[in-house]
Amino acid sequence: MSGPSSDFLDLSGVNPPSGKAAALDPQHFSVLEGMSPVHLRILNEASRVMYVSKGVELLHEGDTPHGLYFIDSGKLTIAKRVADKQKILSQMGPGNIYGEFGVLRKKSRYASVFTAEPSRIIRVDISAIHQVLEVDAGFRKRLNDLLTRRMLSSFFFSHPVFQGLPQETCQAVGKDIPMQFMERGSRIFTQGDQPTGIYLILSGEVEVRYLNRSKAEVLLEIRRDNDLIGEVVQKNGTALAYSAVSSSDVDLLVLNKDTMNTLQQHYPQVYTILENYINKRSEQTVKRLKENLA
């Protein structure tokens, strides 16, 4: 009995050709605009074309990054798990890219990517991307700007405070909230510091540490995406009740006094939901702190 035809042995849905793909055109991909011919050559020499059938999960939420992906043709869907259900964040077509989170943050993918129709994707190896990022400030800025927009979109989509609000409201709110990036091992604030605001965690991990009466620093919690820090103060609101240290690279939204006033004046619905969310989180933290006073 003969085996299956060799024409149908590759059932993955992805068929990368063996040759190099010098196909990255700045006129097609705006993120490459203004890039020098030398830098373009570096990216093209590290690229491969993938012809992908419909319904293939190209990246899975939590995957380790391996490259930056350019959509030459076709359509892709970005989806994220929320409350154990996979929901669509957005769709992308030709001229768009994905994989920037893994490239810039060197962390696992925060959403999944599927082909919504047969597509032609150009994959560029992550080492070549980093090589160009080190010397091309314009490329780095455009990639960072894209990352910021997409992280905010994902955050508002999945966060209990903003989930369900109209997209235009979330976009407007996002413009009024400062964003801050902290490298791994950074001390975001120290117990006893004067409070300057509350931080919402867009991505990454933060250690909550408490110096108790015995002068022992206790690790109370590790807080992750969509959580917050800085919600509990003492001494009549003049001192933070615990320390916060980033245990990975962290992206934060800063809710300082000016930002909260803006939300209260222009987005009262958002402000009320956010205030209740912060108060509930504060109650949980105070309970944890009382358990570790000694």
Side-chain angles (χ1 to χ4, degrees), residues 101 105 107 110 151 155 200-206 224-226 248-252:
F101 184 80
R105 292 296 181 261
K107 295 191 296 186
Y110 68 88
M151 275 200 302
F155 176 81
L200 298 173
I201 302 174
L202 276 174
S203 75
E205 298 179 348
V206 177
R224 298 176 173 86
D225 300 8
N226 290 358
S248 72
D249 288 351
V250 177
D251 294 280
L252 304 164

Side-chain angles (χ1 to χ4, degrees), residues 210-257:
Y210 175 61
L211 190 65
N212 63 19
R213 291 171 180 171
S214 301
K215 302 301 180 183
E217 190 172 61
V218 180
L219 176 60
L220 288 180
E221 292 179 292
I222 297 178
R223 299 188 180 177
R224 298 176 173 86
D225 300 8
N226 290 358
D227 209 334
L228 56 85
I229 52 174
E231 77 285 8
V232 178
V233 295
Q234 54 188 5
K235 297 182 180 178
N236 296 321
T238 62
L240 288 161
Y242 60 81
S243 300
V245 178
S246 59
S247 49
S248 72
D249 288 351
V250 177
D251 294 280
L252 304 164
L253 286 179
V254 186
L255 300 175
N256 54 33
K257 185 177 180 180

Side-chain angles (χ1 to χ4, degrees), residues 55-283:
V56 175
E57 186 177 22
L58 289 169
L59 286 180
H60 181 74
E61 187 173 345
D63 276 354
T64 302
H66 297 293
L68 191 62
Y69 300 80
F70 294 75
I71 306 172
D72 195 45
S73 66
K75 185 182 295 182
L76 277 68
T77 295
I78 311 299
K80 187 174 180 65
R81 295 201 71 81
V82 179
D84 294 328
K85 292 183 179 180
Q86 197 163 59
K87 298 185 178 181
I88 294 176
L89 280 172
S90 62
Q91 286 193 325
M92 297 186 296
N96 281 286
I97 66 170
Y98 63 95
E100 74 288 341
F101 184 80
V103 166
L104 292 172
R105 292 296 181 261
K106 301 177 184 178
K107 295 191 296 186
S108 59
R109 175 77 186 172
Y110 68 88
S112 296
V113 180
F114 299 85
T115 46
E117 62 185 40
S119 303
R120 184 178 188 267
I121 310 297
I122 302 172
R123 175 189 176 275
V124 182
D125 188 78
I126 196 169
S127 60
I129 297 294
H130 285 156
Q131 183 181 350
V132 175
L133 285 173
E134 288 179 3
V135 294
D136 192 325
F139 180 44
R140 176 173 286 277
K141 182 181 185 304
R142 290 190 293 273
L143 211 56
N144 267 310
D145 289 345
L146 177 64
L147 172 67
T148 298
R149 292 195 302 270
R150 288 182 174 172
M151 275 200 302
L152 283 172
S153 176
S154 176
F155 176 81
F156 289 137
F157 182 85
S158 58
H159 196 280
V161 170
F162 306 96
Q163 193 178 37
L165 291 175
Q167 186 176 5
E168 57 271 19
T169 300
C170 290
Q171 290 175 343
V173 170
K175 294 178 181 178
D176 290 323
I177 305 179
M179 189 169 169
Q180 185 173 343
F181 170 71
M182 306 289 287
E183 292 183 349
R184 178 185 178 186
S186 300
R187 185 167 285 267
I188 303 169
F189 56 77
T190 300
Q191 184 175 332
D193 283 352
Q194 183 176 352
T196 57
I198 292 171
Y199 301 83
L200 298 173
I201 302 174
L202 276 174
S203 75
E205 298 179 348
V206 177
E207 293 183 358
V208 172
R209 303 177 182 178
Y210 175 61
L211 190 65
N212 63 19
R213 291 171 180 171
S214 301
K215 302 301 180 183
E217 190 172 61
V218 180
L219 176 60
L220 288 180
E221 292 179 292
I222 297 178
R223 299 188 180 177
R224 298 176 173 86
D225 300 8
N226 290 358
D227 209 334
L228 56 85
I229 52 174
E231 77 285 8
V232 178
V233 295
Q234 54 188 5
K235 297 182 180 178
N236 296 321
T238 62
L240 288 161
Y242 60 81
S243 300
V245 178
S246 59
S247 49
S248 72
D249 288 351
V250 177
D251 294 280
L252 304 164
L253 286 179
V254 186
L255 300 175
N256 54 33
K257 185 177 180 180
D258 291 341
T259 301
M260 293 298 284
N261 286 337
T262 298
L263 291 177
Q264 188 175 22
Q265 292 174 15
H266 300 288
Y267 312 101
Q269 178 188 4
V270 175
Y271 178 84
T272 299
I273 300 172
L274 179 59
E275 189 178 41
N276 291 335
Y277 177 79
I278 293 170
N279 288 336
K280 184 176 180 179
R281 193 66 175 97
S282 299
E283 292 173 2

